[in-house]
Amino acid sequence: EEGAPGRRGERERSEEVPAERGPGAAFHMFVLMEDLLDKLKLLSYEEEALRRHNMRPLSRHYFALPTNPGEQFFMFCTLAAWLISKAGRPFEQPQEYDDPNAVISNVLSELRSF
């Protein structure tokens, strides 16, 4: 049948796509994290968000490497709440032991309302 070889060829091409992205693709997340950190610094996140919660500044690769998922999730939620508040919406700062599903649901629902 003519259709079978074509399907196999399509499957082979789709498996080759990640290899075609190039050697720098593995480091793209590090570049994104550095860009994020630069933008947060422009918004004075260290003075406005971190000092208020007695937290340390982020490293250049904080979210790019999975080191402590619980801590990283809490930092993400803290920054998300701060950014939402900075955008002019009242948003309650999540606590470290809040239900993660509820926190993400609240963040997403607030972002959808924008």
Side-chain angles (χ1 to χ4, degrees):
E1 296 178 20
E2 290 181 36
R7 287 188 193 126
R8 185 172 42 240
E10 290 173 14
R11 190 177 324 120
E12 290 171 9
R13 277 192 300 260
S14 67
E15 291 172 357
E16 293 173 2
V17 170
E20 293 175 5
R21 290 177 38 193
F27 299 99
H28 185 68
M29 70 183 97
F30 296 101
V31 173
L32 288 176
M33 180 60 209
E34 288 182 14
D35 288 345
L36 170 68
L37 192 56
D38 288 342
K39 291 173 184 177
L40 287 172
K41 285 180 180 179
L42 287 173
L43 294 171
S44 303
Y45 89 104
E46 292 170 325
E47 293 81 21
E48 294 183 24
L50 298 184
R51 283 199 184 130
R52 182 178 303 149
H53 301 290
N54 199 25
M55 300 171 112
R56 294 183 317 225
L58 300 177
S59 69
R60 293 182 318 140
H61 303 149
Y62 185 79
F63 290 116
L65 300 170
T67 55
N68 184 343
E71 177 187 302
Q72 289 171 312
F73 178 76
F74 181 65
M75 178 63 79
F76 168 78
C77 293
T78 299
L79 291 173
W82 172 71
L83 287 168
I84 291 169
S85 297
K86 190 143 180 89
R89 302 278 187 127
F91 193 81
E92 186 177 325
Q93 175 64 41
Q95 301 303 309
E96 191 168 1
Y97 298 105
D98 287 350
D99 176 34
N101 293 321
V103 172
I104 288 298
S105 177
N106 291 341
V107 168
L108 288 175
S109 98
E110 191 62 40
L111 293 176
R112 283 185 193 113
S113 72
F114 275 102

